[in-house]
Amino acid sequence: MLEPLGATWGQVATVVVTVVGMYATFMVLVRVVGQRALAGMSGFDIGCIVALGSVLGRTVLLDTPTLMIGVVALATLFGVQAVLGALGRFRSVDRLLNREPVLLVRDGVLLTDAMRRAHVSVDEVRQRLRLAGVRSLTEVGRCTLERNGAVSVLRAGAPVDAWLHADVPSPVSQAT
């Protein structure tokens, strides 16, 4: 009955078993490696997610899906992610693998040169500030584009501990 659609019942069963096996392997590996494998979304994390999707898709859609090849590929990708996560604990490696944070607003002033270098528009900063509940630019002490692409907002009015921004380079110039 499925043969006119280009598949046999055996192929369909193989795809189902492979998908279930790949999904189960994925979930086990997430548990073993930890949620860090799916959080943080640095450039390498995004690359890993794209590669995972590719492996899953290609494994399932092969003429003859092979669970073992998919499991090995997934395990290898998670292994690479775990190694990069472990190496990322070293500051020099972390700086090599991830972008530096970028200060976008300081003491209520948009740092347009830094925004331009980070490819962040004024509208994007405005949106992030609204999402943070900011009602006026003067309420912002610091607004930072973090390594993972998130934007953090610290309110003005209270001093910012230097340790908190030790990894954020100071902008060369600022403009409004």
Side-chain angles (χ1 to χ4, degrees):
M1 179 186 341
L2 292 176
E3 289 180 23
L5 299 175
T8 65
W9 283 109
Q11 289 170 322
V12 169
T14 302
V15 168
V16 169
V17 168
T18 302
V19 168
V20 170
M22 293 294 289
Y23 184 81
T25 301
F26 182 82
M27 296 309 293
V28 167
L29 289 170
V30 167
R31 284 281 199 184
V32 170
V33 174
Q35 289 179 315
R36 194 244 175 252
L38 299 176
M41 299 310 281
S42 70
F44 284 92
D45 294 326
I46 291 170
C48 184
I49 295 298
V50 169
L52 286 171
S54 176
V55 166
L56 287 170
R58 293 206 44 142
T59 300
V60 170
L61 298 175
L62 289 172
D63 282 339
T64 307
T66 55
L67 178 59
M68 184 52 64
I69 296 299
V71 167
V72 168
L74 267 182
T76 302
L77 285 168
F78 270 82
V80 168
Q81 185 71 3
V83 168
L84 288 176
L87 290 175
R89 293 187 180 117
F90 297 102
R91 191 171 191 187
S92 59
V93 175
D94 181 55
R95 296 215 182 269
L96 180 66
L97 295 178
N98 295 302
R99 300 182 304 179
E100 289 185 322
V102 178
L103 191 60
L104 304 173
V105 179
R106 180 175 49 207
D107 300 324
V109 177
L110 291 173
L111 304 174
T112 55
D113 289 344
M115 291 169 53
R116 189 172 20 264
R117 283 192 302 277
H119 306 286
V120 175
S121 72
V122 172
D123 286 341
E124 289 171 310
V125 171
R126 190 179 292 123
Q127 177 186 10
R128 296 301 178 158
L129 295 178
R130 285 192 308 262
L131 287 169
V134 171
R135 294 173 294 180
S136 169
L137 192 56
T138 59
E139 292 181 28
V140 180
R142 301 278 197 287
C143 176
T144 307
L145 175 63
E146 301 294 351
R147 292 170 133 55
N148 65 359
V151 175
S152 62
V153 179
L154 298 176
R155 305 254 179 187
V160 176
D161 186 340
W163 176 85
L164 195 59
H165 269 194
D167 63 334
V168 181
S170 293
V172 177
S173 65
Q174 64 185 55
T176 55

